Amino acid sequence: MKQINQYVDNVKKQLSSVKKTPVTPETIGVVDEVKDGIVTIRGLQSIGYGDLIVFENNEQAMVIDMLEDSVGAIVLGNYLGITAGQLVRPTGKTLSIPVSDQLLGRVIDPLVRPVDGLQPIKTDTYYFIERSAPGIVQRQSVSVPLQTGTKAIDALIPIGRGQRELIIGDRGTGKTTLAIDAILNQTKGDVICIYCAIGQKNSKVASVVNLLKKNNAIDYTIVVKASASDPVTLQYIAPYSATAMAEYFMDKEKDVLIIYDDLSKHAWAYRQISLVLRRPAGREAYPGDVFYLHSRLLERSARLNDKNGGGSITSLPIIETLENDVSAYIPTNVISITDGQIYLEADLFNAGIRPAINVGRSVSRVGSAAQTKAMKQVAGKLKLDLAQYRELSAFSQFESDLDEETKKLLNRGAKVTQILKQKQNHPYTLSTQVAVIWAATKGYLDDLAIDKITLFEQNYLQDLQTRGKALLVEIEKEKKVSEALEKKLEPIVKENVAELMQEEKA
Amino acid sequence: MDSAHKQKVTIITTYRLGEDEISRITQHIPNLSEYEVEQIIDKNIIAGIIIKTRSTMIDLSLKSELQKLQLMMYETN
């Protein structure tokens, strides 16, 4: 009772002491137009790009367009309650999202509202969704490999931590699968993964989440979802928001792998916003700054030097092409921004070569600096074999009798192509990749029939797991293929080949 | 400025202000007499006063204070 009295007295005292209410004139605006998530506002002179404003119904919007006496803003959420004539106030904040370690294992929308039915994320740390990329001084060059677990990529198109490698191809060529496999391979736990779905079907996002859960990969993964049914404004901010989360972990000296699935739909979302804002349309009706849209995003991927913690963001943006047209506007833009591309082809996919990577047209501009020695040893020969094979295979179709040397090269190329096939959601460790590719490039499989290659690989790997465990451990540890190791691998390969050859004869 | 095109100042209160009340506002905003003053009565603001001109607003209403409180409670919740 005494306490209550004391409290009442306190309040009385506070109320009676004439405290001057701070009189601060604030800038206001009035809603002029509402069109599909984009609001035009009269007034609001002293406001900047990216500032948050609030409507009478507490819905928030971000300013993205400023004219002489009006501003355009994108509503973050439900825009149905906003009507013309409503008052708008600035909040004095720039759009930022809460970040914390709790994000791991969660499925969230770009404003970090949970969509997995679990508790909201509580934290005091906020990151701006738009942040300028680390400068030259803070960076160091790519030097540590990021193992994707896909033989063809790790051997021929190696990806280093801090690199930006584009995955490009038509619909249904396995782009997402390739990216998800890269997440599944990060089982060591030293890489945090972020899957950012932009404009995807909800069913697809759900199946990705289930796949991650099934493979226990969700524990180190964040799924940021702005699906096709979400407002276009959320689709627009999704990759920036996901990158802000990545930056939080990078600043904590972690390595992050981020997948933008896909940036074509992100460009569509931005095109829609721009057209509604009546910005001049350029090629393919995209606005003039669509290049900057993606360059400022991908430039935020970096590998920081040790002085700045040594964290990294590796990004795998995905672009969907139509009819293999890589010379369309958005594909060419993103190709020129990234440090290389993985080119997937529907023809290869239908021919049963999966992953359907066109090795000739795919490149990694910086990744080879990060490749492990063991992989370099076996991949050098592999590249040569494949290059010769490509050159000859087109040519050889016209000639009936080929010389021995050409036949040999064609045979080797066919075998090597077979050995690069891989089942989806079965990432390989570095050592198994090296062991398999080593067998193919050394020519041990040349006498084997093409349809037996997959069987050989299966038996061989099983054999290695039982008999040759020590060899795999050695590759994993030493990261190189020594002569002594080769001598030990040779009999295992030969035995397996012989076994299959005998079966064939019998 | 031409008197016909005087800039408009809108004062929103819950009841019509008397002369002395307006003169007290003029004490704080001396150049108020240069503007065309319009009074609007709006019971929705509960108490207090809102002064508006073009895109600037001085909001001293109880309603907005309560709204701020509501938002704060929602956010800390």
Side-chain angles (χ1 to χ4, degrees), chain A residues 114-395:
Chain A
V115 289
D116 50 6
L118 299 175
Q119 285 296 308
I121 282 107
K122 279 183 194 158
T123 167
D124 295 329
T125 319
Y126 282 79
Y127 264 55
F128 292 131
I129 69 157
E130 296 260 16
R131 192 170 89 164
S132 56
I136 307 163
V137 194
Q138 285 111 292
R139 292 179 188 241
Q140 67 174 345
S141 58
V142 171
S143 56
V144 181
L146 185 112
Q147 297 292 333
T148 62
T150 306
K151 279 177 285 183
I153 297 177
D154 287 344
L156 299 165
I157 325 150
I159 297 170
R161 294 187 183 178
Q163 193 180 342
R164 302 149 311 161
E165 182 80 11
L166 170 68
I167 301 175
I168 187 166
D170 277 9
R171 86 216 123 60
T173 49
K175 300 185 294 300
T176 304
T177 310
L178 214 54
I180 295 299
D181 281 1
I183 294 183
L184 297 185
N185 193 43
Q186 309 308 321
T187 45
K188 278 187 204 152
D190 58 340
V191 178
I192 284 161
C193 303
I194 300 176
Y195 177 77
C196 177
I198 310 157
Q200 299 288 344
K201 294 183 271 286
N202 272 323
S203 60
K204 184 177 169 180
V205 181
S207 70
V208 165
V209 172
N210 284 337
L211 184 68
L212 292 174
K213 276 187 185 152
K214 214 175 80 191
N215 291 282
N216 299 321
I218 196 81
D219 302 332
Y220 55 83
T221 308
I222 306 167
V223 178
V224 181
K225 181 217 82 141
S227 68
S229 66
D230 289 324
V232 71
T233 50
L234 288 185
Q235 294 180 34
Y236 164 61
I237 64 163
Y240 301 104
S241 165
T243 312
M245 293 169 210
E247 277 164 346
Y248 167 74
F249 288 105
M250 179 170 74
D251 291 348
K252 290 185 82 182
E253 307 176 10
K254 296 264 175 56
D255 289 320
V256 186
L257 168 69
I258 182 162
I259 290 151
Y260 305 109
D261 194 1
D262 64 71
L263 288 186
S264 312
K265 293 191 182 72
H266 181 240
W268 291 351
Y270 188 58
R271 174 168 63 183
Q272 185 185 327
I273 291 170
S274 296
L275 289 175
V276 176
L277 284 169
R278 298 208 189 112
R279 288 182 181 165
R283 186 176 158 193
E284 289 174 31
Y286 289 107
D289 63 340
V290 75
F291 183 87
Y292 181 61
L293 177 79
H294 290 145
S295 69
R296 75 168 190 265
L297 171 72
L298 293 169
E299 204 52 28
R300 285 161 77 181
S301 301
R303 175 139 159 74
L304 299 179
N305 57 23
D306 295 334
K307 218 172 132 191
N308 286 287
S312 73
I313 298 178
T314 313
S315 55
L316 294 176
I318 294 178
I319 289 277
E320 189 174 289
T321 53
L322 296 167
E323 298 287 327
N324 279 330
D325 184 13
V326 284
S327 54
Y329 196 20
I330 302 302
T332 45
N333 276 354
V334 183
I335 284 172
S336 73
I337 294 163
T338 49
D339 306 311
Q341 69 271 358
I342 296 166
Y343 188 78
L344 302 175
E345 259 179 14
D347 291 348
L348 290 174
F349 190 84
N350 295 333
I353 298 169
R354 293 176 202 178
I357 300 172
N358 182 325
V359 181
R361 296 176 78 170
S362 304
V363 287
S364 173
R365 286 197 265 267
V366 293
S368 57
Q371 210 170 19
T372 49
K373 182 143 190 287
M375 193 50 101
K376 261 186 197 152
Q377 280 175 307
V378 294
K381 188 76 176 46
L382 181 71
K383 267 181 205 162
L384 187 69
D385 283 343
L386 281 167
Q388 285 173 327
Y389 174 60
R390 273 197 305 277
E391 203 167 296
L392 289 171
S393 59
F395 180 65

Side-chain angles (χ1 to χ4, degrees), chain A residues 50 52 60 62 76 93-99 110-112 125-130 241 244:
Chain A
L52 271 190
Q60 292 191 322
M62 182 175 80
L76 308 165
K93 289 183 217 152
T94 312
L95 186 52
S96 47
I97 52 159
V99 283
L111 297 171
V112 197
T125 319
Y126 282 79
Y127 264 55
F128 292 131
I129 69 157
E130 296 260 16
S241 165

